Amino acid sequence: MRKRIVAGNWKMNLDHREGARLAGEILGGLKNRVPQCEIVVMPSFTSLHAVGEALRGSCVSLGAQDLWHEESGAFTGEVSAGMISAAGCRYVLVGHSERRHILGEGRDLLSEKLRAALKGGLSPIYCVGELIEEREAGRAEETVSRQVEEVLGGLDAGGMSKVAIAYEPVWAIGTGRTATTGDASGMHGVIRDLLSKLFGRGTAGETPILYGGSVKPDNARALLSAGDIDGALVGGASLAGDSFLGIVFPT
Ligand code: PEP
């Protein structure tokens, strides 16, 4: 059965004390409940250690929001896959829209980062998604397909087995606008068909495809029960224990 994941991307929020407190709140809310998904929290680099300590021995996994693709050296300000893994992370985001569109990251760099994550033993969550202009011009599927193929194309089945994809329409991130369940599920189907062409049906069927873009407790149930949606990548609503848990356990 395909893995389901709900991941909280804390972005540039919460210092290490606040992060450890939120981790404690999440663990408190999990007592005597069995989540139907893997839960991941992705604090900033400076909070990884403290949050990792707070989560030690629990079922909640740690992830980082980004990495640099070189193993070490003169790359001031950057953090390698090895460092992230040593800090206790299993997951790392690659290609989040804020890195694509604010920091200008594109195909070549994202390919290198994704391969460095795999080489360093991390599971990348590779983010794709169209801009509003691309959707309005009828080019959403073409954009997302290109983003999938240009970075994931050429991976072997072993590599792909560690990858999850997050479909996050850029116009839905942090805006309160959510894709309709049908639109999201339709795009997930497009991605899965493409994975099938690139890697075969077996690998395509095993790859988790998460939805991201203003997921909240009140829309989580509809989104997470739609066909081909295997979980959520959550920004704003992951910053408070009750709203994040309301997505992990949607009602
Ligand atoms: C995100 O940053 O990946 C995201 C989906 O943010 P939000 O949930 O706030 O839209």
Side-chain angles (χ1 to χ4, degrees):
M1 228 191 31
R2 198 154 61 222
K3 192 195 275 194
R4 295 183 68 82
I5 302 171
V6 172
N9 171 16
W10 294 356
K11 310 196 187 190
M12 199 175 73
N13 295 295
L14 309 181
D15 67 20
H16 69 284
R17 289 163 296 228
E18 295 163 331
R21 204 175 307 131
L22 176 54
E25 265 174 56
I26 294 168
L27 294 186
L30 286 173
K31 283 223 174 80
N32 306 320
R33 296 164 97 183
V34 182
Q36 302 300 306
C37 59
E38 180 164 358
I39 305 169
V40 185
V41 294
M42 304 181 126
S44 56
F45 288 134
T46 55
S47 298
L48 285 177
H49 181 71
V51 174
E53 286 300 307
L55 296 175
R56 187 180 285 279
S58 77
C59 67
V60 179
S61 302
L62 193 64
Q65 299 173 18
D66 186 37
L67 78 164
W68 190 243
H69 55 283
E70 302 284 351
E71 286 178 18
S72 63
F75 302 101
T76 301
E78 296 298 342
V79 177
S80 70
M83 292 168 175
I84 289 169
S85 173
C89 292
R90 284 185 63 182
Y91 289 91
V92 64
L93 294 179
V94 174
H96 189 277
S97 75
E98 286 145 22
R99 299 216 61 95
R100 288 180 190 267
H101 299 295
I102 302 175
L103 294 148
E105 296 190 359
R107 180 192 61 197
D108 295 345
L109 180 58
L110 297 178
S111 294
E112 301 223 61
K113 287 187 174 196
L114 192 116
R115 282 156 181 78
L118 291 172
K119 192 165 169 220
L122 295 165
S123 290
I125 300 180
Y126 176 56
C127 305
V128 296
E130 80 284 1
L131 297 164
I132 191 66
E133 303 87 280
E134 291 165 326
R135 171 154 289 261
E136 284 172 355
R139 292 194 288 109
E141 290 184 6
E142 174 197 321
T143 302
V144 168
S145 299
R146 176 181 43 76
Q147 291 171 338
V148 169
E149 191 160 2
E150 70 191 7
V151 168
L152 299 182
L155 285 183
D156 60 20
M160 255 325 275
S161 69
K162 302 254 165 37
V163 173
I165 295 175
Y167 168 56
E168 301 202 299
V170 179
W171 46 269
I173 297 180
T175 59
R177 276 181 76 183
T178 317
T180 64
T181 304
D183 283 345
S185 171
M187 187 64 88
H188 285 220
V190 167
I191 295 170
R192 200 166 316 275
D193 286 348
L194 176 58
L195 294 179
S196 207
K197 274 193 216 123
L198 294 173
F199 305 106
R201 282 186 59 185
T203 300
E206 289 300 311
T207 306
I209 307 178
L210 319 183
Y211 171 78
S214 298
V215 179
K216 309 265 182 274
D218 60 6
N219 59 24
R221 190 182 174 84
L223 285 163
L224 295 180
S225 53
D228 268 322
I229 300 185
D230 307 314
L233 179 56
V234 186
S238 70
L239 294 174
D242 54 355
S243 54
F244 188 55
L245 289 163
I247 295 168
V248 171
F249 299 103
T251 50

